[in-house]
Amino acid sequence: MEKKLENQVILITGAGGGLGRSHALLMAKLGAKIIVNDPGVSVDGSGQGLRPADETVSLIQQAGGQAVANYDFVDSFEGAQKMVGQALESFGRLDAVVNNAGILRDGSFKKQDTDQWQKIVDVHLTGSRHVTKAAWEIFLNQKYGRVVFTTSGSALFGNFGQTNYAAAKLGLVGLMHALKEEGSKNNIMVNTIAPVAASRMTQNIFPPDMLSKFDPAFVSPVVGYFCSPACQVTGQVWSVGAGHVARVAFVESEGINFNDSNDMTIDSIAEKMGKITQLENGKTFTNVMEEMAHLLTGK
Ligand code: NAI
């Protein structure tokens, strides 16, 4: 196998199992040195253990690769700083971070309490912010960096019982869009995957015949691409699973323009519903300034 990630140092959060372990094993095989972060919690974030991260490190080392274990929690900024510090101490540099760590605390909005909301936001959104922030100055100074966020189809399209998770996961897309504007001048590429994969997180959600189609090995090569010097896209969300790889984007319809606000009535808006909502000829925008020009000109 060609060592496409030779000498790259990559921090992967939640790499003690599931998708994170799959990313770690693949990227180590491609020559990267990996910081395997995982505090070994259960799917709902409770408990703690060294074994998941240690096992991933052993698997990498048995295959001839290089890795170190880290057991800190992403939802602590101090923890995030320690992970990044460990990359520098162990391997002398840091080239990419993969924000993969995650938990679930599902429940309908009616039943969800504030702790259930907050913990999910803390781990997925704030945790990804902490780890990326801890690495950011290094990336700016070396004028190179790769950041991967992990969102979800639940956030992009909706899912019953996951309002906390969907909000946190879509927050990552907003974080990516703004951050890519701050990173692009310094060759820092920031992208997001929306994976579907068989893991302990999905084993009780997907039926067995579906699980067999969603091997994490179909997701990790995209993460490898986003983490590589070859990656020249930024600010993209790619849906990845079962061998399918596709871009997901916000699309704004052609829309309509009123010249006089007095013409904007409940009836006239209702009448033009078709033109407002129809996405054929819709546009995507690189940033908000482009979108504002579209608002003003209708073009
Ligand atoms: P998993 O439960 O196998 O792996 C998640 C890992 O994150 C665990 O090893 C856990 O110990 C670790 N973790 C949890 N809280 C942490 C914290 N505070 N700090 C550091 N590590 C922590 O689940 P899976 O499926 O591999 O999920 C990986 C990511 O992909 C998650 O962000 C998940 O939300 C996301 N995802 C997964 C999908 C799937 O189909 N498996 C679908 C959409 C998104």
Side-chain angles (χ1 to χ4, degrees), residues 13-21 23 37-45 49 52-53 70-76 83 99-104 119 122-124 127 150-154 165 169 172 193-203 206 214 216 240:
T13 67
L19 279 164
R21 176 174 287 180
H23 304 337
N37 158 262
D38 208 304
V41 299
S42 57
V43 175
D44 71 359
N70 169 282
Y71 315 103
D72 287 302
F73 288 84
V74 293
D75 41 319
S76 141
M83 294 170 207
N99 293 289
N100 164 79
I103 60 167
L104 290 178
K119 184 68 185 169
D122 287 350
V123 172
H124 290 274
T150 307
T151 186
S152 164
S154 296
Y165 183 75
K169 287 299 206 188
L172 291 170
I193 57 160
V196 185
S199 72
R200 66 175 192 173
M201 196 182 261
T202 50
Q203 68 189 359
F206 300 162
F214 288 111
V240 194

Side-chain angles (χ1 to χ4, degrees), residues 146-224:
R146 298 287 180 263
V147 178
V148 180
F149 293 119
T150 307
T151 186
S152 164
S154 296
L156 299 169
F157 306 112
N159 195 21
F160 189 96
Q162 291 197 312
T163 50
N164 51 357
Y165 183 75
K169 287 299 206 188
L170 203 58
L172 291 170
V173 177
L175 173 57
M176 173 199 74
H177 280 309
L179 200 56
K180 67 136 188 350
E181 293 294 307
E182 298 191 22
S184 57
K185 274 196 202 116
N186 285 306
N187 192 14
I188 305 172
M189 306 291 177
V190 189
N191 292 290
T192 300
I193 57 160
V196 185
S199 72
R200 66 175 192 173
M201 196 182 261
T202 50
Q203 68 189 359
N204 299 321
I205 303 174
F206 300 162
D209 58 324
M210 237 170 113
L211 279 174
S212 65
K213 297 198 170 83
F214 288 111
D215 186 337
F218 279 126
V219 176
S220 301
V222 168
V223 175

